[in-house]
Every structure is written in structure tokens, then in C-alpha cells.
Amino acid sequence: MRLSSILCVCALVTFGEAAGAQESPTGRIVGRVIDAVTGQGIVDVGVQVVGTTSGVSTALDGRFSLTNVPAGTVTLHVRRIGFAPKTVTGILLEAGRTLEQNITLTAATVELTTQVVTASAERGTVRDALDSQRTAVGVVNSVTAEQISKSPDGNAAQAVQRVSGVTVQDNKYVFVRGLGERYTTSSLNGARVPSPEPEKRVVPLDMFPAGLVQSITTTKTFTPNLQGDFSGALVDIRTREFPVRRTWSLQLGGGYEPGTTGASILAGRTTGGERLGMVNTGRDLPSLVRSLGNFQGINLNQGDKDLIVSRFRNAWTPESGTAPPVASASLSFGGNDPILFSHRIGYLFSGTYSSATDFRDGQVRALADRGNTTGETREIDRFVGQRSSQSVLWGGLANLSTLIGDASRISLNALYNRTADNDAIVETGSFENEGIRARISRMQYVERGVRSLQLAGEHQLGSRQRIEWAGTASGVSRYEPDKSEFVQAIERDTPNGPDILRWQNSGNAGATRTFSDLDEKSREVSGSYQMLLGSSRQSSFRIGALSRRTDRDADTRAYAISANGISNAVRELPPEQIFDGRFASSKIFDFGPLAQGGSYTAHDRLSAAYAMAEIALTDRLRLIGGARYESDRLEVDAFSTLGSPVYTSKRWNDLLPSLALNVKLNDSQQLRLSASRTLARPEYRELSPIKSRDVLNGDDTQGNENLSRTNISNADLRWEWYPSSSEVLSIGLFAKRFDLPIERVYRAAGSGTRTVFYTNAESADNYGVELEMRKDLGFLGKALTPFAVFTNLTAMQSTIHLFKDTEASATNLSRRMVGQAPYVFNAGLSYTSLGGGSSATLLFNRIGDRIDAAGDSPLPDVIQRGRSVLDLSLRFGLTRIVTARFDAKNLFDSSYETTQGTATRELYQTGRTIQAGFQIRP
């Protein structure tokens, strides 16, 4: 009986505890308290759950965590001296769940009546991209993960082109305010990303899958905490951060391209691994050829030449294949759990993969020459044919973050992305100077990779001091193995006889192989110290320093195979038969390296320090000023294939001031004025005086070791009006003055192959106006509440002035800058259901004509014609956790057209793309 009594008591206690747990379920609320003016987190803010004794004070970056909060409808009261208190109502907390609730506070010189807002309204002011734009120190525009998820954009390049004043060239290179890619820098989580392109300093943003991106912020005004070669703009990609509660997401999709998917198209010959962007060694430069170096001082006999030719991969012409459908997939898993000794760690692991085929039928490529009358141009060396490109993009990230105490946060961010393009081209045309018709077959495979590992820390020292630091190891690679080009002359044995394809076996352009490899490593360490000044106005003083070491190795080797005196019967054979070994003992082949090869190494050492202050002069005036000092030491060793090595050394020391004034006109309007000085340094390849060239019918490209860096003076004026947290109207004016800008031009020469080289022009000016508007349509009627319209327009102009004694063969000494378009226009209409489960977005983009290359006297400039793009994206919920998606891209299918006067230099269409898929998110 005693045992039974004990068991009954235990059962009653257990039942009572369970009943109590059911009657009093709890959850967790986390978030940040943010200054509504500066956007910075506020420490030592009291956050109280109304009606309970539960409360905490905010710690690092304004973060707070409330545990054991009774589930249901919760109200928070927030208070700090110097700020107007706030009560947030209508917070719906589910039992056992974690809810993120961010809160903004407004500074006050006197105690004000408590402001009361609903939770949904409060979340809207901090989650919208406009909030980061409104609270930024300078002129910025952001695209967030939420916006990207409602568009058909598959990578960062496609997403960033929705930003005001941004254009994207070749679907990967970002131009801001019409400036060339050299005046736009890119960073990943605040650290510089090296470029994998040998002749460009800009990072191709198509390498970053949209599924890994949290936000893309374009900063258009310079402040001293930004790196000095900010030039004209900085594009910062922030990878996704861990969620506040454990969750996972799976997304699968497929697509159809009319005229391409399922059709028989050209396909580059493979060795294995192309679909993953990880080819095997079958494409490598033969070890025998590599061991001979630049062939200087080596006498090859006929047997040596035949042996070398036999070692190359016997692949010269594209195959025929069936174009696969567009495919994409992504998987993410993350959360914030007590993993290590009950210590909470935030984590996110994410991976993504996509593949697509770009097929162009009837692509036109030609050069231009002077016509029979003044001002007329005519096409020469015109070729028409087919091009297919099978591309793959995949990447992954791992982010870890944890709080140490209440005042320190440590995070580790790792990212790796890889892309690959397998191109095949067959085109037919004629060479006017040689007087022959020809068929050209090309195959080119390129792998690009970017990697980044960053360890960062934030430390709050009391309520007024803050230290941030970061160490980043990053790198890029570009691997272009075994690019082949085979030329067949189209001949007739009799005037009316049939066309016969015969190998163009004489000279150095009939059969060529090129191997290129680039690897760059960068190590960057940065740190800053910030002290808050005053009380309610949140003035601050900041100092910081940075050290970066960059090392690049680039190598290009090109070889030509010829066979003078062979019979027409041999010339008529397919190349895979000519080089399959049957003629290995016939002593017919000649072999040698081409001049358009070479290698270079670059060693860049940058040290920088800055000081800046943000001073609240009054409740409405904020002054931001300071300066940055940078010292750059650059060494480039260049080795041409057939020439002597050239060593180039540069030493640049620069002081870069910045001053800005932000005027708060009222609670919803502000005015920004800024002036600064920035710079742009030459790309490493531009300082290498070695030549490179497309093997056939191309221009020589040569660097210039005498280039100097460009100094840029910047001025901005911008008015902004935020009627609500989701609406904006802004008008901005900008102007830039360039001293010694670098231009890619043709060298003046009497005859022969044209040479493209780099030179400093005397000066250049760039100016324009930007308009941005986003408006909810609910004011027109309740039925239109779910709709919003948004648009931005940038109109700009530039003028560059070349030196009168320039070496350039320039048609005009004054003209627009290369890459500059007169206008960029974006517009969109969006629909979001009241519950948020469904959405629709219609996006339009239009870019005006822009200069693709400066004219070679007396020819006019090469112009890339403007084109219009229309995209449609639909999202709708199937169940509580499953969302379907439908995307239609490039609905207009406008032509890509490049002209030079009346001659068409390039013309093609890429086709439309229809995609569908679904996402599972518990």
C-alpha cells in the first residue's frame, strides 16, 4: 500500500507538471534594437515582456534574447535613456518556437510619450531593403534575398542589374553609372574578391548563385572605411546568415528553352567532368611540350615535331549532341542550437547547382573597314554560323557564428563557387585580305573558381566602444585547357565545281592549340575601433587599418601546326584523321610556339589606415568626414613566349579625403551631399608588355608598363523621401572628374595587324541624374493593396579627352568613355497576397547604346546597341510548406547587336527560357 501510495503521488506530480507545461507553454524571442537614424545596434537597452518579470538588456550590436516567454500574443516594452521608449504589440509567439523581432528606436533630447506600434509594422521597417538605404551613411542601393527569391534571377549578376544605375555586360560584368568595369570593385562579406579574368579587374558576378546570397549592396559614395580603389562604386555580396531557429529548405527546378532544349546542336568534345566543372587531366598540356618551355635554343628535327604533334589530344571539331533542359537544385540547413556544452552556435550549410545551354543559330561576326564614300563603313571578314555553350554553376557555403558572453561575437564564413563553360563554334565566311572563303571550327572550355575563408569578430567594450576585426584568405582560378581552332579553306577545282573543304595547312593559323592557366591568392587582415560620442545623438569616431597581400600567376601557351606541300587528298580529310597518327612517319608536320603567348607573375602589397568621424551637429544635421591613406607596392614580371622578360615596379602613396553632410528635412525626408577622392589602379595584365591575340583574325593586345593610376574626384547630391517603410522617392545628381583615366585603344600604325594597347588619357568627366520610385498601389483602392510599382532611371553622360600626342589611332580625341550608356531604365510591377503565400513580379530593363570599343581612325566607335528585357516570375503556395515557382525570362528575345558605323560587327539572339520548380521549407 505504501508503494502504491508513492506511485500515485508521483503520477499526480508528473501529471500536474505536464498539465502545467501544457497550460504555460513558452517560446523564445531574439532580435536587435537599432537606431532608426544610423541603422546601428544600440547596447544597454532594456527589453521587457509586458505583464511578466522577464526582461534583458541588449548586448553586442543591440542583440537580445528572451527565453521562457509565455506563448501567445506578446507585448514588448523597450526603453533607453536618450531615446523615445517604444511598445511593440501583436507579437504572435508559438509554443516551443523561436521568433525574430527587430525593433527601431528614435533618439530624443527630452523624454517623449511612449510610441506604440504593431509587430508586423515594426518588422517591415527593418527587413525591407529600403531601411538599409535610408540609414546608410552614403548613397547605397540594396537587393535582398527576399527580392531575389521573387525574381527569376539565378545569380548575383542578374539580381544586381535591378539596382538603379547598374548595367551588366556579357551577363557577368557590372557597370555602375555607365562607367567601365575597371571603375567598379567587388567584395564578399566586406573583403575584396580577386578577379579570375586575366585582362579585367572586375569580378564576374555570375559566379555567385542567387541561392547563397543574403543581400547585394551597391555603394555609390566613398567613405574612408572603404578601400581606396573604390573608384566609382562598390558591389558587396553578403552570403546568407544562419536562421534564428532550426530549419531546412530544398528547391528543385527545370526549364525549357524553345528551339534549344531537345534539339540537335553543336557540342564540344569532352574528356569527363565537364558537367561538374571539374575536368580530368585529358585536357592538360602534354608533359613533353611543357618540358620544352618557350622552345628557345632548341632545334627540333622532323621526328621531334611528329612526336610532339602526336601528343596533343586528337579533338578539333565539335560533335553533335542533344541539348539538355535547364536544371537547378539547392539545399540549405541551418539553425541556432546549444551545440557545444549548452553554448548556442548559429550555423548554415547551403549548396546549389544549375546547368543551362546557350545556343545561337545564325550568329554574325565581322570586322569593319572604310567604305567607298566619306563616313561610310563596310563589313569585311564576315562569318555566319552556330555557337553553343553548355554551362554549369555550383557552389556551397558554411557559416558559423556564436556569442561569447554578451559582448563578443565570432563568426566563420567559408564559400566556394565554380563555373564552367564548354563552347563549340562552327562558322563560315571569307577573309578579304587573303582572298579565301573558309570554315572555322573552335572549341573552348573554361573553368573559373572562387574561394573564401573569413574569420571575423565583433567586441563591445561597454556601451560606447566597439572593436571589429576580420582575417580573410581568398583566391580565384581560371583554367582554360586546350582551346582548339581549325581552319578549312572552301575551294573549287573548277569554276562551277562543288565546294570542297580543305585544311588551310600553310601559315600559323590553320591548326592551333592554346593553354591558359591563372591562379591568384589574396590574404587580407583588417580591424577598426569605434567610440560613440555624446548621448542621444549617437556621434562616433572610428579608426581602422588594413593589410592585403595578393599574388597572381598567369600562363598562356599557344602552338601552331602546319604541313606545307601535302596533297589535296590529305587536306580534305577530317582533322581527326589527319592527326590520328596515320601520318606520324610521313614527315609532313611543322610545329612551333606562337608569339601570342607568355606568362606573368604579380605581387601586390597594400597597406592602409583611416580615420573618420560621424558627428550629429543637431538633431537634423549629421556630418561624416575623414581620410584614408593607402600605400601600394606592385611588382610584375612578364615573360613573352618569344621575347625577353620585362620587370615592372610601381609605388603609389595616396591620401583620399571624404566629406558628407546628411540633412534630415523631416521624419520621412532627407538630403545627402558628399564629396570625395578615390582612385583606380591598372590591372596586372595591363602592366605586362607582352602580346596576346585571338589566334585567327584577331587583334594583338599588349600591356603598357608605363601606365599610371587614375585619380577620381566625386560629388553627389541626393534627396530621399520615405512615405512608408516600403515606399521611396529619390532624385540624385552625381559628377566625377578623372585624371589620367586608362583607356583601351588602338595603337597608331602604318599597316599590318592592329594592336590594342592601354594608355592614360588626359582627363574625363562623368555626370548624370538618378531617379528611383517605389509605391504601393493601395491608395487607388482596397483591391490594389497587394500591388506595388517600382522604377528607376539613370541618365548620364561622359567625355574623355585624349592627349594630342597620343599613340592611339583615335578617330576622336574627345568622346564618350568606353562602356558608358546614356541611360539605364528599370521598372517592375509586383503582387503579394495578403498572407504572403503567393507573389508575382514583372520586371523590365532597358539599356541605351554604349561604346564597346573606341574607333580606330578613321573608323567610328564600336557601338553595342540598346536592348529591352522583360521577365516574369510567379510564386504560389501549394501547401503550408511547399511553394511552386514559374519563371519566364527574356520574353522579348531582343537581339544583341554591335555595329561600327553602317557595318554589323556582331549579331545574335539567345532565346527565351521557361522554368518551373518548387521549394520545400518546413
Side-chain angles (χ1 to χ4, degrees):
M1 292 179 61
R2 182 179 300 174
L3 179 60
S4 300
S5 299
I6 293 173
L7 292 175
C8 290
V9 170
C10 291
L12 288 173
V13 171
T14 303
F15 178 81
E17 290 178 347
Q22 292 175 358
E23 292 173 1
S24 303
T26 62
R28 179 168 167 258
I29 301 177
V30 300
R32 294 179 64 205
V33 179
I34 303 169
D35 189 316
V37 176
T38 66
Q40 297 181 352
I42 310 172
V43 299
D44 290 337
V45 178
V47 182
Q48 180 78 31
V49 180
V50 176
T52 73
T53 60
S54 179
V56 295
S57 294
T58 59
L60 174 71
D61 207 21
R63 292 182 176 89
F64 68 87
S65 177
L66 292 163
T67 58
N68 297 320
V69 179
T73 302
V74 179
T75 299
L76 296 181
H77 185 67
V78 183
R79 178 186 293 270
R80 188 187 191 277
I81 296 175
F83 290 85
K86 176 177 283 189
T87 298
V88 183
T89 65
I91 301 174
L92 300 178
L93 179 62
E94 298 181 30
R97 303 298 294 270
T98 297
L99 176 69
E100 183 178 14
Q101 179 64 56
N102 297 319
I103 303 168
T104 59
L105 289 183
T106 304
T109 55
V110 297
E111 194 71 15
L112 299 179
T113 304
T114 300
Q115 181 186 7
V116 180
V117 298
T118 64
S120 59
E122 185 63 20
R123 283 198 294 270
T125 62
V126 296
R127 289 188 176 179
D128 198 281
L130 296 180
D131 197 59
S132 62
Q133 177 176 316
R134 177 182 59 82
T135 59
V137 172
V139 176
V140 304
N141 293 97
S142 295
V143 178
T144 65
E146 181 180 1
Q147 292 169 293
I148 295 173
S149 69
K150 295 179 180 179
S151 74
D153 301 330
N155 57 60
Q158 296 171 355
V160 76
Q161 67 182 344
R162 315 296 181 186
V163 172
S164 175
V166 172
T167 59
V168 178
Q169 189 175 42
D170 298 333
N171 297 317
K172 62 183 71 173
Y173 304 119
V174 174
F175 287 29
V176 179
R177 290 175 168 175
L179 299 174
E181 71 267 8
R182 73 171 60 252
Y183 300 113
T184 301
T185 57
S186 301
S187 62
L188 179 66
N189 295 321
R192 176 63 52 83
V193 182
S195 173
E197 300 299 337
E199 297 183 4
K200 299 178 184 290
R201 69 186 303 269
V202 68
V203 178
L205 295 189
D206 64 330
M207 296 186 63
F208 298 93
L212 304 183
V213 174
Q214 177 68 30
S215 65
I216 306 173
T217 301
T218 302
T219 303
K220 301 176 182 178
T221 56
F222 172 74
T223 51
N225 59 313
L226 301 175
Q227 298 187 30
D229 57 351
F230 169 96
S231 300
L234 169 68
V235 178
D236 183 42
I237 301 172
R238 293 280 172 175
T239 55
R240 295 176 56 192
E241 296 182 353
F242 63 88
V244 297
R245 57 180 177 270
R246 190 184 309 162
T247 185
W248 62 271
S249 173
L250 172 65
Q251 183 169 301
L252 299 174
Y256 173 76
E257 297 170 301
T260 299
T261 301
S264 179
I265 62 172
L266 298 176
R269 295 177 182 263
T270 61
T271 61
E274 284 83 359
R275 297 299 295 176
L276 292 176
M278 302 175 66
V279 296
N280 56 35
T281 58
R283 291 178 177 268
D284 288 351
L285 178 66
S287 58
L288 174 61
V289 182
R290 183 177 294 278
S291 67
L292 298 176
N294 62 4
F295 285 70
Q296 298 301 302
I298 298 176
N299 294 318
L300 299 176
N301 59 38
Q302 187 60 55
D304 296 332
K305 295 176 182 179
D306 291 340
L307 176 62
I308 291 173
V309 170
S310 68
R311 294 298 176 90
F312 284 93
R313 185 171 67 106
N314 189 25
W316 294 92
T317 53
E319 298 177 313
S320 178
T322 302
V326 178
S328 64
S330 65
L331 176 65
S332 298
F333 176 77
N336 188 318
D337 294 308
I339 297 176
L340 186 63
F341 303 110
S342 299
H343 185 80
R344 282 193 171 273
I345 295 178
Y347 55 91
L348 175 67
F349 302 97
S350 184
T352 182
Y353 174 90
S354 64
S355 63
T357 301
D358 175 20
F359 179 60
R360 307 172 188 176
D361 192 10
Q363 175 174 309
V364 176
R365 179 183 64 85
L367 297 178
D369 198 2
R370 71 185 73 184
N372 297 323
T373 60
T374 303
E376 180 187 4
T377 57
R378 63 185 183 91
E379 295 178 6
I380 62 171
D381 296 355
R382 177 186 172 94
F383 282 80
V384 180
Q386 294 183 341
R387 172 175 180 166
S388 70
S389 178
Q390 296 185 349
S391 61
V392 60
L393 166 64
W394 62 267
L397 66 83
N399 290 350
L400 302 174
S401 179
T402 186
L403 285 172
I404 301 177
D406 291 332
S408 295
R409 181 188 186 218
I410 304 296
S411 61
L412 179 67
N413 302 317
L415 176 138
Y416 184 82
N417 289 336
R418 180 180 285 267
T419 67
D421 297 292
N422 194 14
D423 296 346
I425 302 173
V426 175
E427 54 186 6
T428 302
S430 61
F431 295 111
E432 184 165 307
N433 291 336
E434 290 78 4
I436 62 172
R437 293 186 300 149
R439 172 176 171 169
I440 303 173
S441 300
R442 295 188 183 94
M443 292 189 295
Q444 181 179 19
Y445 175 82
V446 180
E447 286 181 3
R448 297 176 296 168
V450 58
R451 56 195 183 274
S452 175
L453 180 65
Q454 182 184 75
L455 180 66
E458 308 167 64
H459 308 278
Q460 190 75 39
L461 309 179
S463 61
R464 293 184 175 273
Q465 301 178 73
R466 180 185 178 90
I467 293 176
E468 296 181 2
W469 57 269
T472 306
S474 60
V476 294
S477 61
R478 186 181 189 276
Y479 181 47
E480 185 181 356
D482 206 8
K483 174 183 176 181
S484 66
E485 190 164 39
F486 189 77
V487 182
Q488 295 168 295
I490 303 174
E491 299 178 344
R492 291 180 178 179
D493 291 334
T494 61
N496 297 322
D499 289 340
I500 303 173
L501 292 175
R502 291 171 176 153
W503 176 29
Q504 187 67 18
N505 58 302
S506 60
N508 290 329
T512 61
R513 306 298 274 261
T514 305
F515 300 80
S516 298
D517 199 1
L518 180 149
D519 186 76
E520 182 172 322
K521 300 176 182 177
S522 182
R523 303 293 183 269
E524 181 176 305
V525 178
S526 62
S528 67
Y529 167 80
Q530 182 182 28
M531 174 182 286
L532 297 181
L533 308 173
S535 56
S536 62
R537 291 178 183 168
Q538 291 284 299
S539 299
S540 66
F541 174 74
R542 181 187 297 184
I543 57 175
L546 176 144
S547 176
R548 184 172 71 237
R549 172 175 179 165
T550 304
D551 298 286
R552 171 184 286 188
D553 284 304
D555 182 51
T556 298
R557 307 189 186 198
Y559 306 94
I561 303 173
S562 59
N564 292 320
I566 61 175
S567 66
N568 284 343
V570 175
R571 294 176 60 208
E572 293 171 12
L573 293 174
E576 282 76 20
Q577 294 184 22
I578 296 176
F579 300 108
D580 65 359
R582 68 183 65 187
F583 300 109
S585 59
S586 301
K587 299 181 179 182
I588 63 173
F589 295 120
D590 194 10
F591 176 85
L594 294 173
Q596 56 267 24
S599 63
Y600 67 92
T601 61
H603 306 284
D604 195 359
R605 306 293 181 263
L606 177 71
S607 300
Y610 72 89
M612 63 179 292
E614 184 175 351
I615 303 173
L617 300 176
T618 69
D619 293 337
R620 296 186 178 275
L621 297 178
R622 301 186 68 84
L623 183 68
I624 304 99
R628 183 183 185 89
Y629 176 79
E630 288 196 350
S631 177
D632 189 44
R633 302 291 181 266
L634 174 61
E635 297 176 347
V636 180
D637 283 303
F639 308 88
S640 64
T641 300
L642 304 178
S644 301
V646 178
Y647 172 76
T648 303
S649 177
K650 298 292 183 180
R651 300 291 185 270
W652 291 307
N653 299 303
D654 296 279
L655 183 65
L656 306 170
S658 171
L659 185 65
L661 180 66
N662 291 345
V663 183
K664 185 178 180 181
L665 302 177
N666 54 41
D667 289 342
S668 61
Q669 298 183 52
Q670 60 186 3
L671 188 69
R672 301 178 185 270
L673 303 92
S674 67
S676 63
R677 189 173 180 85
T678 57
L679 57 86
R681 300 184 182 96
E683 164 58 31
Y684 306 142
R685 172 63 183 86
E686 295 171 352
L687 291 168
S688 305
I690 58 176
K691 285 187 177 183
S692 62
R693 176 165 61 96
D694 285 340
V695 175
L696 185 67
N697 199 34
D699 300 326
D700 284 336
T701 299
Q702 184 171 13
N704 179 3
E705 67 272 26
N706 296 317
L707 286 176
S708 180
R709 50 97 169 86
T710 303
N711 287 313
I712 309 168
S713 299
N714 313 278
D716 279 88
L717 172 64
R718 186 182 180 98
W719 170 77
E720 299 173 348
W721 178 31
Y722 298 91
S724 71
S725 62
S726 60
E727 297 179 323
V728 64
L729 175 63
S730 70
I731 301 175
L733 303 175
F734 64 87
K736 298 180 181 294
R737 173 74 177 185
F738 299 80
D739 293 321
L740 302 179
I742 299 172
E743 284 284 283
R744 186 177 186 270
V745 295
Y746 287 100
R747 186 187 300 276
S751 60
T753 302
R754 299 180 303 179
T755 299
V756 174
F757 80 112
Y758 302 91
T759 186
N760 287 108
E762 182 177 7
S763 63
D765 300 292
N766 175 259
Y767 50 90
V769 58
E770 291 179 321
L771 295 93
E772 181 181 10
M773 187 269 291
R774 180 181 179 90
K775 179 66 177 174
D776 296 333
L777 299 183
F779 72 98
L780 296 176
K782 187 176 181 180
L784 296 179
T785 300
F787 291 89
V789 62
F790 50 92
T791 184
N792 59 70
L793 170 66
T794 302
M796 50 218 161
Q797 186 56 267
S798 67
T799 305
I800 192 165
H801 309 282
L802 299 178
F803 286 107
K804 293 182 179 179
D805 58 349
T806 179
E807 295 181 68
S809 175
T811 303
N812 301 305
L813 293 179
S814 294
R815 53 167 170 77
R816 278 190 294 161
M817 299 176 72
V818 171
Q820 194 264 312
Y823 65 88
V824 179
F825 177 67
N826 289 295
L829 176 66
S830 67
Y831 164 83
T832 304
S833 64
L834 297 180
S838 301
S839 67
T841 305
L842 186 66
L843 298 168
F844 174 81
N845 171 262
R846 171 74 187 182
I847 303 173
D849 296 350
R850 57 189 172 190
I851 296 180
D852 187 64
D856 177 16
S857 181
L859 298 176
D861 297 326
V862 180
I863 304 297
Q864 187 175 99
R865 297 299 177 187
R867 60 188 302 269
S868 299
V869 179
L870 184 68
D871 298 328
L872 173 65
S873 183
L874 304 177
R875 304 289 184 270
F876 45 93
L878 298 179
T879 69
R880 185 182 65 84
I881 65 172
V882 180
T883 301
R885 58 182 297 169
F886 173 84
D887 297 321
K889 303 173 62 176
N890 194 30
L891 292 174
F892 289 156
D893 194 18
S894 301
S895 298
Y896 288 86
E897 183 178 11
T898 302
T899 62
Q900 189 168 15
T902 56
T904 298
R905 293 288 304 269
E906 191 172 31
L907 179 66
Y908 63 89
Q909 292 176 286
T910 58
R912 301 172 179 86
T913 302
I914 307 298
Q915 294 177 271
F918 64 90
Q919 181 181 44
I920 304 175
R921 187 190 298 271

